[in-house]
């Protein structure tokens, strides 16, 4: 019997309704979707070097195809903490460091 492992896809999203782009897979693997979701905040903190207005972490089974996620589908954290583990999408908003 093969154990199902989960990975965390790191996605960059723009400010429009354009599709988010999967830019990395976090190196850590997880034994369950719940443990992957619980690690979302710390994983996002490790990927602050990305040049996107919004960076999203999404858990999925290892080897699964990336799924479409639009910028408008992303739940941004409000004051306090990230949304509860019942939702599969989390985001952190970063100030772009580009020289425009």
């Amino acid at each position: 019997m093969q154990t199902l492992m989960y990975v965390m896809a790191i996605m960059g999203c723009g400010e429009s309704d354009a599709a988010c782009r999967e830019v990395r897979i976090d190196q850590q693997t997880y034994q369950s979707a719940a443990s992957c979701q619980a690690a979302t905040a710390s994983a996002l903190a490790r990927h602050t070097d990305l040049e996107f207005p919004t960076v999203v972490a999404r858990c999925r089974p290892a080897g699964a195809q990336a799924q479409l996620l639009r910028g408008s589908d992303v739940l941004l954290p409000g004051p306090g903490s990230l949304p509860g583990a019942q939702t599969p999408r989390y985001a952190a908003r970063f100030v772009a460091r580009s020289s425009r």
Side-chain angles (χ1 to χ4, degrees):
M1 181 175 164
Q2 187 178 19
T3 304
L4 181 62
M5 297 298 290
Y6 288 83
V7 295
M8 190 176 305
I10 306 299
M11 304 171 80
C13 303
E15 294 177 346
S16 66
D17 197 33
C20 298
R21 218 174 77 203
E22 188 173 295
V23 292
R24 291 186 186 148
I25 299 293
D26 193 62
Q27 292 182 349
Q28 179 71 37
T29 57
Y30 304 91
Q31 300 225 354
S32 68
S35 64
C36 181
Q37 290 173 352
T40 300
S42 62
L44 286 172
R46 290 191 302 272
H47 297 281
T48 58
D49 61 320
L50 297 171
E51 297 284 334
F52 291 92
T54 305
V55 177
V56 179
R58 183 173 234 183
C59 297
R60 62 175 167 82
Q65 293 280 342
Q67 294 180 332
L68 179 66
L69 179 69
R70 298 201 174 278
S72 60
D73 294 334
V74 175
L75 299 176
L76 297 174
S81 60
L82 290 173
Q86 298 168 344
T87 177
R89 47 193 190 224
Y90 303 94
R93 191 173 285 263
F94 300 104
V95 177
R97 292 177 286 199
S98 62
S99 55
R100 293 179 201 185

